[in-house]
Amino acid sequence: MSVKTMNVQEIAKRVVNKEDLFVLDVRNEDAFEDWKMEGDNFEYLNVPYFDLIEGIEPIQDKVPTDRDVAVVCAKGGSSEFVAEQLVEAGFDNVYSVEGGMKAWSEHLEPIKIADLKEGGELYQFVRLGKGCLSYMVISDGEAATIDAVRMADVFINFAEEKGAKITHAFDTHLHADHISGGREIAEKTGATYWLPPKDATEVQFDYKPLEDGEDVQIGSSKISVQALYSPGHTIGSTSFIVDDQYLMSGDILFVDSIGRPDLAGLAEDWVGDLRETLYKRYKDLSDELVVLPAHYMTNDEINEDGSVGKKLGELYQENHGLNVEDEQEFRRMVTENLPPQPNAYQEIRETNMGKISPETEKKREMEIGPNRCAVK
Amino acid sequence: MDINKTLDAKGLACPMPIVKTKKAIGDIESGQILEVVATDAGAKSDLTAWCKSSGHELVDMNEDDGVFTFYIKKG
């Protein structure tokens, strides 16, 4: 009997539109606890597929019949196996999620943030499965990426569709929670790959060092991407101000939290930099800048149009991490009781440095799980 | 370690390694050892969790160049 499938685009649509969905997650319990498809109106049932090999009796009464049920596993095989049995038992509202959590983790939803000067455009790519945010500035046939994630072809194809060629790929810092697509984009398109040199002391490939105050023009209409040294999450962390209106804050400042300083092992050393950046450097910027971070943590941070971002002035009012007066208290907040470190973060850093070159399948495994770059 | 039965699950993707393991463990006696050889990286966490939930003991496990070998003592 054939099983109906649901693709991750459909699930992304339901997340953004806050539609409902019953998720039957058949991965083992640890995996589910750690990371799942998050939707405001999603309901969940987690029963590992290996408890359903003999039959679906254990869940027969728990699966609704009056709305869509999405069965999901790690890669799509076990969900199909379980969905098949549900269909045989008479459920006609059951779908197997194509490609499973792996596909969910890789799905990117491009959202237009704004029209820039003289016909330029700014897009945000929301990676719903991992909470990563990447950016593309397009102007007059040229494009630049900022913090592009591993799926390089998505960015290359998107630029092509817009009639643009990627000429610059920027990373705000050396990422520890996901594999950067910046280098692959540069290799495939001939674009210049920029990294902050202080994060790149160990990298094994050619890159262009990104220095404070660097101003790169995209297209002849001169959309400016201006680098602002803003250490704290890493020692090299650099923000970008695009078109004098948008602040790409990398992993330094998020909408509802701030960056953690420990993923390169130097929390104690970098906490001072983090405070300086958040309480001084950023404070000197215009309140009107729209902060566009490299991550979000929960769906509460997603705006109505599906984008993530907020004015700097509002963040200084609302974001707890920007309102800790006492320096000692701040120090404690960002160095103690930190959330667990991201899955395989050391290997991810080494991959981003070019020290190791895992196969695609291995890279996918390394990126499994949520991002954990923030403290709240 | 005395191995009473070996299951070759190489090249199989989820859920087959566990489906076959479950079948194979039915062929041995309590206390005996089933060796499972698999290449699906997901088998690692799934077999561990399955053993826990079904009362068998994962006695040992090793990985060599993408090939995982598990030793399961029937509960």
Side-chain angles (χ1 to χ4, degrees):
Chain A
M1 201 173 295
S2 74
V3 172
K4 289 181 282 187
T5 57
M6 189 178 281
N7 59 29
V8 292
Q9 281 82 358
E10 169 64 22
I11 291 168
K13 192 186 110 230
R14 292 187 189 218
V15 172
V16 172
N17 297 336
K18 303 191 190 302
E19 291 170 35
D20 64 16
L21 185 65
F22 189 92
V23 177
L24 171 58
D25 195 318
V26 298
R27 292 173 302 152
N28 67 58
E29 285 152 15
D30 292 351
F32 176 76
E33 282 304 315
D34 192 40
W35 176 52
K36 61 178 185 286
M37 297 192 298
E38 305 273 359
D40 283 357
N41 293 310
F42 286 12
E43 218 181 301
Y44 303 91
L45 176 63
N46 170 226
V47 179
Y49 69 89
F50 47 74
D51 288 341
L52 303 169
I53 289 174
E54 317 268 83
I56 49 125
E57 287 73 32
I59 55 166
Q60 192 141 20
D61 298 335
K62 295 181 190 153
V63 176
T65 52
D66 58 347
R67 61 213 143 107
D68 291 343
V69 174
V71 189
V72 67
C73 65
K75 289 180 252 176
S78 302
S79 62
E80 194 181 326
F81 171 81
V82 172
E84 221 162 63
Q85 297 187 68
L86 285 164
V87 171
E88 274 168 28
F91 288 87
D92 59 1
N93 55 330
V94 166
Y95 301 82
S96 170
V97 176
E98 251 176 275
M101 292 301 283
K102 192 168 81 178
W104 178 238
S105 168
E106 293 188 348
H107 177 67
L108 299 181
E109 191 76 12
I111 289 166
K112 188 171 178 179
I113 297 287
D115 287 318
L116 303 173
K117 277 180 219 148
E118 297 173 46
E121 289 176 296
L122 173 60
Y123 287 87
Q124 180 178 58
F125 291 74
V126 183
R127 189 175 179 185
L128 289 160
K130 249 188 109 55
C132 295
L133 302 167
S134 307
Y135 298 90
M136 189 183 285
V137 178
I138 303 177
S139 177
D140 207 15
E142 261 188 64
T145 60
I146 296 171
D147 288 333
V149 292
R150 176 169 52 83
M151 288 67 77
D153 289 339
V154 174
F155 298 94
I156 295 170
N157 295 339
F158 187 86
E160 232 164 60
E161 276 168 33
K162 297 279 169 193
K165 189 176 180 310
I166 301 175
T167 49
H168 298 278
F170 301 95
D171 274 346
T172 53
H173 63 289
L174 188 85
H175 295 282
D177 67 296
H178 66 270
I179 294 163
S180 169
R183 181 157 60 114
E184 190 180 331
I185 289 173
E187 278 165 7
K188 286 185 170 168
T189 63
T192 306
Y193 183 33
W194 300 75
L195 271 177
K198 286 184 180 170
D199 279 4
T201 50
E202 296 176 59
V203 308
Q204 311 289 310
F205 48 81
D206 288 332
Y207 67 96
K208 192 153 179 188
L210 184 62
E211 307 281 0
D212 185 45
E214 191 95 45
D215 201 352
V216 181
Q217 305 296 328
I218 311 299
S220 55
S221 56
K222 293 193 172 38
I223 300 300
S224 144
V225 176
Q226 192 193 326
L228 172 73
Y229 181 50
S230 50
H233 175 65
T234 63
I235 187 65
S237 285
T238 299
S239 309
F240 295 98
I241 298 173
V242 171
D243 207 22
D244 302 320
Q245 297 176 74
Y246 298 93
L247 173 64
M248 274 71 171
S249 58
D251 284 6
I252 285 293
L253 174 61
F254 306 111
V255 168
D256 196 28
S257 53
I258 59 172
R260 64 193 281 177
D262 66 313
L263 293 182
L266 296 167
E268 295 293 333
D269 294 12
W270 294 351
V271 58
D273 289 326
L274 183 64
R275 185 156 177 101
E276 164 92 12
T277 292
L278 293 176
Y279 286 73
K280 214 161 165 218
R281 281 173 211 261
Y282 272 16
K283 205 140 205 183
D284 292 342
L285 303 173
S286 161
D287 275 355
E288 290 301 306
L289 286 174
V290 175
V291 175
L292 298 169
H295 289 296
Y296 67 97
M297 312 305 140
T298 70
N299 287 344
D300 295 344
E301 293 164 68
I302 301 180
N303 299 322
E304 234 155 64
D305 63 353
S307 70
V308 177
K310 218 171 200 185
K311 281 192 178 167
L312 187 59
E314 287 176 58
L315 294 190
Y316 273 108
Q317 303 277 325
E318 299 164 7
N319 189 320
H320 171 68
L322 294 177
N323 289 287
V324 182
E325 292 292 321
D326 184 66
E327 203 172 328
Q328 284 312 313
E329 195 189 324
F330 180 83
R331 188 170 279 272
R332 276 195 301 275
M333 178 179 127
V334 299
T335 55
E336 294 173 14
N337 301 319
L338 289 170
Q341 292 171 319
N343 186 51
Y345 76 103
Q346 291 292 14
E347 278 177 296
I348 290 177
R349 294 183 70 241
E350 284 175 12
T351 305
N352 286 335
M353 290 179 199
K355 285 186 172 174
I356 54 171
S357 309
E359 303 277 320
T360 305
E361 200 53 37
K362 173 74 183 155
K363 286 181 180 167
R364 285 179 173 146
E365 299 283 340
M366 283 157 62
E367 286 192 333
I368 274 175
N371 80 77
R372 293 202 173 103
C373 293
V375 281
K376 210 175 154 176
Chain B
M1 191 172 0
D2 282 341
I3 292 157
N4 301 89
K5 190 178 169 72
T6 296
L7 169 68
D8 181 2
K10 291 200 292 287
L12 298 178
C14 285
M16 292 324 287
I18 296 223
V19 171
K20 294 203 171 234
T21 301
K22 205 162 175 165
K23 197 162 172 289
I25 209 142
D27 298 341
I28 60 171
E29 302 296 325
S30 179
Q32 291 188 326
I33 302 282
L34 172 68
E35 178 189 50
V36 180
V37 188
T39 46
D40 185 17
K44 203 161 105 186
S45 56
D46 289 0
L47 269 172
T48 309
W50 173 74
C51 284
K52 226 163 132 190
S53 90
S54 57
H56 307 298
E57 188 192 344
L58 184 59
V59 188
D60 199 9
M61 171 176 82
N62 58 60
E63 182 186 351
D64 181 28
D65 200 20
V67 179
F68 301 90
T69 309
F70 306 89
Y71 301 94
I72 302 167
K73 189 184 203 172
K74 185 170 177 173

